[in-house]
Amino acid sequence: MARVISVFLPMWPVDRLRRQEDSPSDRPLVLAGRLGNRRVLTAVDAGAAGLGVTVGMPVSKAQALVQGLRIEAANPEADQASLERLAFWILQRIAPIVAIDPPDGIVIDSTGADHLHGGEEALLEALTGRLALSGVTARAAVADTWGAAHALARFGGDLHAMPPEALRLPPATVAGLRDMGFATIGDLMAAPRAPLTRRFGPELIRRIDQMFGDAAEPIDALRPPGLIETRRAFAEPIGAAETIARYIGKLVVALCAILDERGLGVRRLDLICHRVDRERQTVRIGLAVPQRDPQRLTRLLCDRIPTIAPGFGIEIMTLTATITEPLAARQTSTLAPEAPDLSGLIDTLAGRVGHRAIYRIAPVASDVPERSVRRIPALSEPTTEGWPDHWPRPTRLFARPEPIETMALLPDQPPVWIAWRGIRRRIKRADGPERIFGEWWTREAERIAVRDYFRVEDDAGERLWIFRAGDGEDAATGSHRWFIHGVFG
């Protein structure tokens, strides 16, 4: 089943303008354009909206309502050009099929791409979060059709209870429906279709059918200039897995020849299969390092053939190098041993669970244990930072310390025994304490906070890393409760 994401950018014109400014102003911002002979507001920011300024309001009325209002000229052409650049950015990072939904939206065919981002909820959260960090206000929704996702992103709730504006109809059609008493989409669906078609034309019924999946609505994917792409059209539709694999191999060979001519390697590869029923099946693979090896690329794509549903047949296949990087020829030697190449294994695993699930741990210059590591891409260059070497650290560090019960003499003695996960353990050996202070520059609450860490070994020989929150004397330094934070060996 197809899945479509609609991204709604309610303040895109003002967000675009503010992002281009070197020193953004705090003054309420509005954009003005002409509607016939009148000069009206076409976009307002959150500050202006909070003062009662609305889209469509005459400029003179807005100036009288808000003193010091900043008014800029609307530029729809620049808005759309910038919207296309944003869509290209999403194309490279989210899914192979992305298009603009002017004037204030982007539509994404996310079928089969959500698992690479941790699921649909994680994908939507990451997408809107990145836009928010870039200064762009966004709302996103996912549904089975473009029409449903578009409506949910802008209105939310039940599709049947949404107003006619949710159907992406011209303003004149919406006004006519309102005049006839149609307040919701449910009202339209309950009315006979023939009179509606005679009165408003076929577009109204087509939009309703597209919203509920009764009519197809393909997304014409954007393609930036200079994108490397190969294409194969078939006189007779294909559907067998062996045939699909054979033509994937041919497309890959042709693509790698172009990459070789330009001295490039591919980092992200998109296969789009156009079915005879106008549906599209997509496969996206990412690579840890630039590649143009036809055998490796063909194998990675063919591993994903089971995810392709050919339906009544595939009539066109396109293969696109969405992200490329320079790749120079490398000289190999039979005399000196080379480091093993793990990129093939990483690419295979990432194709199944997503690149975010494949990573390595790198040290961070922090004494606080849970802040002393970070995740980096699996084949990243080693960092120059290191862990504190004056005390050993456990091989397994818990994401969150777990509380334990203990018996210990305060302030500097280790516990005599601990109870963890329902099992009581007698301590045979202990080393410590190692006192770690809070990072007062991170949070004010850590100014006087301390932890006393001990390495302990129980009577079964298991070595644990435990700590007491606080110095054992001053209650302001911590709760004086005990926790286990990791396991050695």
Side-chain angles (χ1 to χ4, degrees):
M1 179 181 293
R3 298 295 283 172
V4 180
I5 295 174
S6 178
V7 182
F8 176 41
L9 310 172
M11 298 182 182
W12 175 245
V14 292
D15 286 343
R16 177 191 65 82
L17 195 62
R18 286 199 183 279
R19 293 177 68 239
Q20 294 177 344
E21 296 175 343
D22 295 331
S23 56
S25 172
D26 293 334
R27 293 169 54 194
L29 172 64
V30 298
L31 302 184
R34 290 205 170 272
L35 182 62
N37 294 325
R38 295 190 305 153
R39 193 162 176 253
V40 299
L41 302 184
T42 60
V44 301
D45 69 358
L51 296 173
V53 179
T54 59
V55 174
M57 178 181 289
V59 172
S60 57
K61 183 177 179 180
Q63 288 176 312
L65 186 64
V66 179
Q67 296 296 322
L69 185 66
R70 179 185 168 195
I71 303 174
E72 300 287 347
N75 191 342
E77 293 79 10
D79 293 339
Q80 179 158 333
S82 189
L83 191 65
E84 288 185 357
R85 288 193 294 271
L86 178 60
F88 292 151
W89 177 85
I90 293 176
L91 168 69
Q92 292 182 329
R93 289 161 178 81
I94 304 298
I97 300 178
V98 179
I100 62 171
D101 190 4
D104 54 12
I106 293 173
V107 60
I108 307 165
D109 187 339
S110 62
T111 308
D114 58 293
H115 78 284
L116 299 175
H117 304 275
E120 288 183 345
E121 290 188 9
L123 173 55
L124 294 181
E125 183 178 353
L127 178 57
T128 54
R130 287 191 179 186
L131 292 174
L133 290 175
S134 301
V136 178
T137 304
R139 297 202 303 266
V142 60
D144 294 340
T145 66
W146 180 353
H150 177 98
L152 290 171
R154 288 154 178 79
F155 298 91
D158 181 17
L159 293 176
H160 294 80
M162 292 182 186
E165 289 85 347
L167 289 171
R168 298 174 292 160
L169 297 168
T173 303
V174 173
L177 292 171
R178 291 285 191 181
D179 292 341
M180 294 183 64
F182 293 104
T184 66
I185 295 176
D187 295 339
L188 290 169
M189 297 184 68
R193 290 193 164 201
L196 289 176
T197 302
R198 286 195 298 270
R199 175 66 176 82
F200 298 102
E203 184 177 10
L204 171 59
I205 302 303
R206 186 177 73 252
R207 287 301 193 192
I208 294 175
D209 289 342
Q210 288 173 344
M211 172 178 283
F212 292 96
D214 296 324
E217 187 177 13
I219 299 172
D220 293 328
L222 284 176
R223 283 294 178 260
L227 201 66
I228 300 176
E229 184 175 79
T230 56
R231 184 176 184 271
R232 187 71 177 250
F234 306 105
E236 292 292 335
I238 64 173
E242 297 80 3
T243 307
I244 295 174
R246 184 169 67 254
Y247 284 105
I248 285 177
K250 294 181 179 180
L251 289 173
V252 168
V253 169
L255 188 76
C256 289
I258 301 174
L259 292 171
D260 187 50
E261 291 176 1
R262 303 185 184 183
L264 299 174
V266 63
R267 286 293 304 275
R268 183 155 295 163
L269 201 58
D270 293 334
L271 175 69
I272 303 178
C273 301
H274 303 254
R275 303 192 323 193
V276 294
D277 59 359
R278 302 185 69 185
E279 292 290 332
R280 297 175 185 175
Q281 297 288 299
T282 62
V283 171
R284 163 166 284 188
I285 62 170
L287 297 115
V289 294
Q291 294 286 343
R292 56 170 180 260
D293 179 5
Q295 291 185 348
R296 177 183 292 192
L297 298 181
T298 300
R299 176 175 53 80
L300 291 173
L301 287 169
C302 289
D303 286 346
R304 301 292 304 280
I305 288 178
T307 67
I308 300 175
F312 293 107
I314 297 170
E315 58 182 359
I316 300 174
M317 290 174 62
T318 61
L319 185 63
T320 307
T322 310
I323 299 179
T324 59
E325 294 180 5
L327 178 61
R330 184 170 60 93
Q331 184 174 0
T332 60
S333 172
T334 59
L335 300 177
E338 296 186 355
D341 183 9
L342 299 179
S343 60
L345 173 62
I346 293 171
D347 293 338
T348 301
L349 295 175
R352 299 177 183 176
V353 299
H355 271 281
R356 290 187 178 184
I358 311 298
Y359 57 88
R360 60 185 291 190
I361 296 296
V364 177
S366 174
D367 284 331
V368 179
E370 57 266 34
R371 299 175 189 162
S372 64
V373 295
R374 62 188 176 98
R375 295 181 179 184
I376 61 175
L379 293 182
S380 297
E381 292 295 327
T383 60
T384 57
E385 298 175 334
W387 282 283
D389 56 2
H390 48 282
W391 285 87
R393 292 291 183 257
T395 53
R396 179 189 173 197
L397 184 70
F398 298 158
R400 293 182 180 179
E402 299 182 14
I404 56 176
E405 297 178 8
T406 66
M407 177 181 289
L409 294 175
L410 297 179
D412 295 330
Q413 296 301 313
V416 177
W417 57 262
I418 67 171
W420 174 44
R421 296 182 179 178
I423 301 176
R424 182 166 170 166
R425 305 160 183 257
R426 182 169 296 278
I427 303 302
K428 293 179 58 179
R429 299 179 181 85
D431 191 9
E434 175 194 0
R435 178 157 293 181
I436 293 178
F437 293 88
E439 296 176 337
W440 54 267
W441 58 89
T442 302
R443 290 191 307 168
E444 180 64 26
E446 296 185 22
R447 182 174 292 274
I448 60 173
V450 298
R451 294 178 186 174
D452 282 343
Y453 278 86
F454 293 85
R455 287 183 296 147
V456 300
E457 182 179 331
D458 63 14
D459 50 7
E462 189 171 11
R463 294 183 298 153
L464 311 172
W465 205 41
I466 65 175
F467 72 88
R468 181 187 60 236
D471 61 6
E473 296 177 326
D474 187 357
T477 61
S479 65
H480 291 169
R481 296 178 59 196
W482 287 83
F483 298 85
I484 181 170
H485 206 165
V487 177
F488 291 91

